[in-house]
Amino acid sequence: MLLDVASGDSAELRGVAAASLRNLQGDAIDPALIQAASGGDANAKVQVAAVEALAGRKTGAAIPIMVKLASEGTPDLRLAAAKGLSVIGTPAELPVLCRLAVGPHQSAERSALLDACRRVLQRTEDPIQMGQLMLREIGKTPAGSQAVLIELLALSGSDDAYEWVRSAVKEGDAELRRAGLATMKAWPNAAPIDELVAVLKAPRSEEEQSTALEGCVAIAQYVEDAPKLFQEILDRVDKDADRKLVLAGMGKVGKTAAMIRLADEQFDNPALRPTAGLAMVHISNRLRRSDEGTAIATLQKVIDQVDHADVRQRALNVVKEIEKQEGWITTWKLAGPYEHKDANNGDQIHALKFGPEVEGESVVWIDVPSSAVDGSN
């Protein structure tokens, strides 16, 4: 009865029935839903409702029927089963999911299968193992279909996974190169940066260079010397649209006066000034605790020279925040840590003299924003 309602025409009743199916108690519920999902006398809509209910209940015993339906069912059933496997699938299902993902499917079905692969991989929780699992499956996949799966290697971020992607970008056909560059753009560390910059410098297609540029900006957050990277990127791009993309990336990750100066260099171009100004506002907001003078001067320049109401208002808002905190401690100076093997309690530690308390001792002070110490914003 509930399955009939869950597969009926009323969206409101379907939602209520689906919630009830997810929460039903009793040992006979899961076997009955598995039986309904397998077919028998049920129509396809009832099967879909049963698959969705089993996924909602996280019924591991339903994995075999979902694998079967993902392979052999009607389009709606295949889609529902793929989505169900994204919820309850395990690494053991990865081979069949990868095989199905490279098959001749509609885009929605392929997306669901790739999402299932992604979620199954993430359940391993070990990046190295993720990479090993995917490299094994890609190695079994025909060369013409490997581009479909390559994006999953970014979940790992391992050295072996990156080497495979790098090889695809350097030596693969056009489709594999495009997929490889898109995968580098989603990489969880800075490993691809040299290859992406190399693509910017090389006589590649406009599409490949555009993806490489987006990748450089996307993974700049992981690069140790971000100003140097952004300078190198700006030296390689001429179009205002590309420079706007770079400036937006600088605004997302920049936190130093050097990044402000780099954005400021784009001020002479009226077409770039609002984007450069917005980047400078974002960077100044991060810099204000450690270098309030530079932050204030930068924000005032944006207010005075950027002919864009929203950007000026954002700059004014940061200035107000700085003024509101005047007189408050916004940065602590810390030294240490210090250890002493003979100090076992508070009184003993209090009696000791550490670096800053010892006359003539050289001390390295570290500026730490108060938000990192007291939890304030």
Side-chain angles (χ1 to χ4, degrees):
M1 176 64 178
L2 276 176
L3 280 175
D4 290 330
V5 178
S7 59
D9 295 329
S10 169
E12 183 178 357
L13 292 177
R14 284 202 307 271
V16 173
S20 297
L21 286 167
R22 286 195 300 272
N23 296 313
L24 280 176
Q25 302 294 315
D27 294 340
I29 303 301
D30 285 341
L33 287 171
I34 291 172
Q35 179 62 32
S38 66
D41 296 331
N43 62 40
K45 287 185 177 181
V46 170
Q47 284 182 273
V48 168
V51 168
E52 291 172 346
L54 288 163
R57 295 169 67 85
K58 295 182 171 57
T59 303
I63 288 176
I65 186 59
M66 288 196 187
V67 169
K68 181 179 180 181
L69 292 173
S71 305
E72 304 171 2
T74 64
D76 286 346
L77 266 174
R78 292 200 303 267
L79 182 60
K83 291 180 177 180
L85 287 168
S86 74
V87 177
I88 64 174
T90 71
E93 284 71 63
L94 186 63
V96 68
L97 288 170
C98 288
R99 176 176 58 80
L100 292 172
V102 300
H105 300 298
Q106 298 294 322
S107 59
E109 192 175 337
R110 174 168 288 166
S111 294
L113 287 163
L114 287 173
D115 184 59
C117 292
R118 188 177 296 109
R119 291 172 182 264
V120 161
L121 280 168
Q122 289 171 329
R123 289 185 189 116
T124 68
E125 297 183 357
D126 179 356
I128 302 299
Q129 186 182 5
M130 286 185 202
Q132 291 171 343
L133 288 170
M134 273 315 303
L135 287 171
R136 183 176 65 198
E137 296 309 318
I138 289 179
K140 296 188 294 187
T141 302
S145 300
Q146 290 175 334
V148 174
L149 300 177
I150 191 173
E151 67 178 68
L152 298 171
L153 289 171
L155 291 172
S156 164
S158 69
D159 291 344
D160 289 343
Y162 174 65
E163 283 305 311
W164 200 97
V165 176
R166 188 175 72 88
S167 176
V169 170
K170 294 175 73 71
E171 302 169 9
D173 60 22
E175 184 180 8
L176 194 57
R177 289 200 307 273
R178 285 194 297 270
L181 287 169
T183 301
M184 286 185 176
K185 186 169 69 172
W187 211 254
N189 56 52
I193 195 62
D194 289 340
E195 189 64 35
L196 289 168
V197 172
V199 173
L200 282 182
K201 297 178 181 179
R204 295 291 192 101
S205 71
E206 184 175 345
E207 181 185 0
E208 289 182 13
Q209 290 202 323
S210 177
T211 304
L213 175 61
E214 293 171 1
C216 287
V217 172
I219 65 174
Q221 60 184 308
Y222 307 119
V223 176
E224 187 172 338
D225 192 347
K228 179 181 178 182
L229 170 63
F230 279 109
Q231 180 67 71
E232 189 169 7
I233 297 172
L234 286 168
D235 288 343
R236 294 288 168 184
V237 296
D238 299 316
K239 297 177 181 177
D240 285 350
D242 290 341
R243 287 180 174 267
K244 287 180 179 180
L245 175 67
V246 177
L247 286 164
M250 291 167 60
K252 289 180 180 178
V253 304
K255 54 188 176 182
T256 64
M259 289 287 275
I260 288 177
R261 289 192 295 271
L262 195 56
D264 188 39
E265 291 175 3
Q266 308 303 312
F267 239 59
D268 290 340
N269 184 338
L272 298 178
R273 191 171 297 166
T275 309
L278 184 58
M280 292 161 70
V281 170
H282 289 318
I283 299 168
S284 296
N285 192 34
R286 299 187 193 99
L287 184 65
R288 62 189 171 98
R289 295 185 185 275
S290 59
D291 189 352
E292 184 179 302
T294 297
I296 287 286
T298 301
L299 293 164
Q300 193 60 54
K301 180 173 183 176
V302 172
I303 293 166
D304 293 341
Q305 298 184 28
V306 175
D307 186 17
H308 192 288
D310 180 64
V311 175
R312 286 203 309 271
Q313 187 60 53
R314 288 170 183 261
L316 282 166
N317 290 343
V318 178
V319 170
K320 289 176 182 177
E321 281 296 313
I322 294 173
E323 292 173 346
K324 191 165 63 176
Q325 293 182 352
E326 188 173 349
W328 292 82
I329 294 174
T330 58
T331 303
W332 294 93
K333 286 189 175 292
L334 302 183
Y338 296 98
E339 297 180 2
H340 198 289
K341 63 181 180 180
D342 296 325
N344 298 314
N345 58 53
D347 290 338
Q348 291 176 346
I349 292 173
H350 185 70
L352 294 172
K353 289 187 176 181
F354 295 101
E357 302 170 294
V358 178
E359 186 176 352
E361 184 163 331
S362 177
V363 177
V364 177
W365 292 100
I366 303 171
D367 288 339
V368 179
S370 59
S371 59
V373 179
D374 59 23
S376 64
N377 292 321

